[in-house]
Amino acid sequence: MLIRLLVLFIALVLVGCSSHKPQGYVKLIDKSNTLPENAKLFVKVPEGIATFIGKAPDYRGKTQSSAMLYPAVTPVDFFASVIAHAAVSESVRNSDKNSLQSIADKVIEPYRAYSDSLKNKTLVNQLKEIALSRGFTLSKYENSQHGDDLILDITPIYLLNKTEETLILRNQFLVYKKKYQNKKEKKKRLLFQNQIEVFSDVTIPGIAQEHWLKNDGENLKNEMNKLFSESLNLIAERISSTAKDANVKYKNYRYNDGDGVVFERAITLSENCEKVIFKTLRGWLKSIPANRIVNQGSCLKQPLNAVL
């Protein structure tokens, strides 16, 4: 009898562990095919300066997949989760995650004066340059006047790794009608939700700080603008296009994320000698420069030369 009870107890524990789910993540929602032709999307970004934090370690030795890196649901949760996690392993207590994030943030101290001058609203000044299909157009949120206007809600977060040679933009995108913007997430009636991650080229370790801060921080600000523009182009293309990923083939990618080589199984969307763009198993988009891809063959680029 005792043995049976012990077996039952162990089984219940295992079931409980296996059914445990993370706090949430950016779940792919794509109802963009329901959007009307010639739709106008009003682009909304957070008030204030761009969020810039250190890239905390991801405990890849303790987790099975790099696909567990980004728990989030709403823009607020998305921001909070990146601040609070050491990167995601739920085996690490929140207090440890906060501590490790605080340590990671020390790397950005020399850049504060420059990143703090970059406001989120300045990132969306190039809307007219974005290529869209189906007659779609983009406009600033301030131009929206009606409750049925479509809002493209963007939450950008920049991360710098500990060696300072990797700048990453993690961007969450939501589409919903303006009249639902103050509703709770389940009642917001999202028409689109996804995340995109864009990596900078590899700068030269050891002199990366000099590169970013050259010309009064212009290299850093230009790269932040560049990454945002690329992410907005990619998402706008996905939202406005009616083309689906037909006859898809999965491919295994190994790339340098700034802390080491990580593995990703994904669908290739675009691949050339400059960069690789793919969709992960969760539907997220990633843009990786060719000089970060392992075994990219003759297309492998040399690290950009930081002219000092």
Side-chain angles (χ1 to χ4, degrees):
M1 184 65 180
L2 288 175
I3 295 177
R4 289 183 179 180
L5 289 175
L6 180 60
V7 171
L8 178 60
F9 173 77
I10 294 174
L12 289 173
V13 170
L14 291 175
V15 169
C17 293
S18 63
S19 62
H20 180 66
K21 295 181 180 179
Q23 296 178 3
Y25 62 93
V26 182
K27 180 181 178 181
L28 173 62
I29 297 174
D30 190 353
K31 301 178 183 177
S32 56
N33 59 347
T34 66
L35 300 178
E37 299 290 320
N38 305 310
K40 178 177 287 189
L41 300 176
F42 294 90
V43 179
K44 181 181 180 182
V45 292
E47 295 289 337
I49 61 175
T51 300
F52 189 31
I53 63 177
K55 183 179 183 296
D58 62 12
Y59 286 85
R60 57 174 51 98
K62 297 181 181 180
T63 60
Q64 295 296 317
S65 171
S66 61
M68 297 172 61
L69 291 180
Y70 325 112
V73 179
T74 68
V76 174
D77 292 338
F78 182 70
F79 171 81
S81 66
V82 174
I83 295 297
H85 73 328
V88 189
S89 174
E90 289 194 281
S91 63
V92 183
R93 292 179 294 111
N94 286 334
S95 59
D96 293 332
K97 295 178 183 180
N98 284 315
S99 174
L100 289 168
Q101 184 60 59
S102 296
I103 294 172
D105 284 344
K106 292 181 180 179
V107 74
I108 63 172
E109 290 177 1
Y111 303 95
R112 281 295 188 195
Y114 308 99
S115 63
D116 285 357
S117 65
L118 183 62
K119 296 185 181 301
N120 281 314
K121 288 189 176 180
T122 64
L123 294 170
V124 296
N125 287 333
Q126 70 278 18
L127 295 181
K128 292 183 179 179
E129 303 172 9
I130 305 299
L132 297 164
S133 304
R134 297 166 56 197
F136 279 32
T137 55
L138 298 177
S139 182
K140 293 183 178 181
Y141 177 77
E142 291 76 14
N143 298 328
S144 172
Q145 298 179 354
H146 306 287
D148 284 331
D149 286 344
L150 296 171
I151 306 301
L152 176 57
D153 195 329
I154 306 175
T155 306
I157 299 175
Y158 293 91
L159 302 97
L160 188 68
N161 77 322
K162 61 183 179 181
T163 61
E164 304 174 57
E165 47 82 24
T166 298
L167 183 65
I168 305 169
L169 170 63
R170 288 178 184 164
N171 225 346
Q172 185 191 32
F173 295 83
L174 308 176
V175 175
Y176 52 81
K177 289 187 177 181
K178 186 178 182 180
K179 60 187 177 184
Y180 301 127
Q181 66 180 349
N182 295 321
K183 298 286 186 180
K184 292 184 178 180
E185 205 60 31
K186 291 184 179 179
K187 297 183 178 181
K188 199 178 287 288
R189 301 187 184 183
L190 294 176
L191 299 169
F192 185 88
Q193 177 177 256
N194 206 354
Q195 173 183 293
I196 184 169
E197 189 169 82
V198 184
F199 285 74
S200 70
D201 281 306
V202 180
T203 55
I204 301 175
I207 58 173
Q209 185 175 130
E210 292 179 79
H211 166 71
W212 294 126
L213 298 183
K214 187 181 179 184
N215 299 325
D216 200 27
E218 280 303 304
N219 285 350
L220 175 66
K221 290 182 282 188
N222 288 342
E223 188 67 18
M224 293 173 82
N225 273 292
K226 175 186 172 183
L227 298 182
F228 185 89
S229 179
E230 181 179 350
S231 72
L232 183 55
N233 268 284
L234 290 172
I235 283 294
E237 179 184 351
R238 298 292 292 182
I239 293 174
S240 63
S241 175
T242 57
K244 301 298 180 181
D245 302 320
N247 301 319
V248 297
K249 292 184 179 180
Y250 287 94
K251 181 176 179 179
N252 296 332
Y253 284 102
R254 294 173 66 234
Y255 62 92
N256 180 355
D257 72 344
D259 292 329
V261 175
V262 296
F263 169 85
E264 195 92 49
R265 184 162 178 78
I267 298 171
T268 304
L269 301 179
S270 174
E271 187 174 23
N272 55 44
C273 289
E274 296 295 317
K275 68 184 62 177
V276 174
I277 300 171
F278 57 72
K279 183 169 73 171
T280 72
L281 295 177
R282 282 184 171 170
W284 304 335
L285 304 184
K286 290 194 178 186
S287 177
I288 314 292
N291 60 8
R292 292 188 176 277
I293 304 293
V294 177
N295 297 327
Q296 186 69 0
S298 59
C299 282
L300 187 62
K301 294 172 58 180
Q302 296 298 316
L304 79 89
N305 293 316
V307 180
L308 304 178

